[in-house]
C-alpha cells in the first residue's frame, strides 16, 4: 500500500472590498485572559462568547455545544 501526501485545501481569494478583521488591543487582551481562565483556545473562547451573545440577543436558538 502506498501512502499519499495530504494536499492542503486552499481557501478562496479574499474579495478586494473585504477588510481583514482587526481586534482592538484591549479586547484582544481581555480575550486572552478569558481563554486562559476558562482553559480554552482563543478560537473556542471567541465561539463561546459569540454563541452566548447571539443567544441572549435572540439570533441563535437551541443549546449547542458550549
Amino acid at each position: 500500500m502506498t501512502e499519499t501526501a495530504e494536499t492542503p485545501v486552499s481557501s478562496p481569494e479574499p474579495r478586494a472590498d473585504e477588510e481583514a478583521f482587526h481586534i482592538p488591543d484591549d479586547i484582544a487582551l481581555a480575550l486572552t485572559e478569558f481563554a486562559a481562565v476558562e482553559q480554552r483556545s482563543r478560537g473556542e473562547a471567541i465561539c463561546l462568547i459569540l454563541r452566548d451573545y447571539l443567544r441572549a440577543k435572540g439570533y441563535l436558538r437551541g443549546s449547542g455545544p458550549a
Side-chain angles (χ1 to χ4, degrees):
M1 223 180 245
T2 60
E3 293 183 29
T4 58
E6 291 185 32
T7 305
V9 178
S10 61
S11 59
E13 293 286 323
R15 295 188 338 221
D17 62 342
E18 285 187 36
E19 292 184 31
F21 180 72
H22 173 73
I23 299 175
D25 291 341
D26 60 335
I27 295 174
L29 183 61
L31 177 61
T32 299
E33 183 177 351
F34 175 81
V37 169
E38 297 296 321
Q39 298 181 348
R40 297 179 181 264
S41 70
R42 281 175 55 112
E44 289 171 330
I46 290 168
C47 288
L48 178 62
I49 293 164
L50 284 173
R51 183 180 296 113
D52 287 349
Y53 178 85
L54 292 172
R55 190 175 292 126
K57 292 292 187 174
Y59 295 106
L60 183 63
R61 289 172 176 63
S63 58

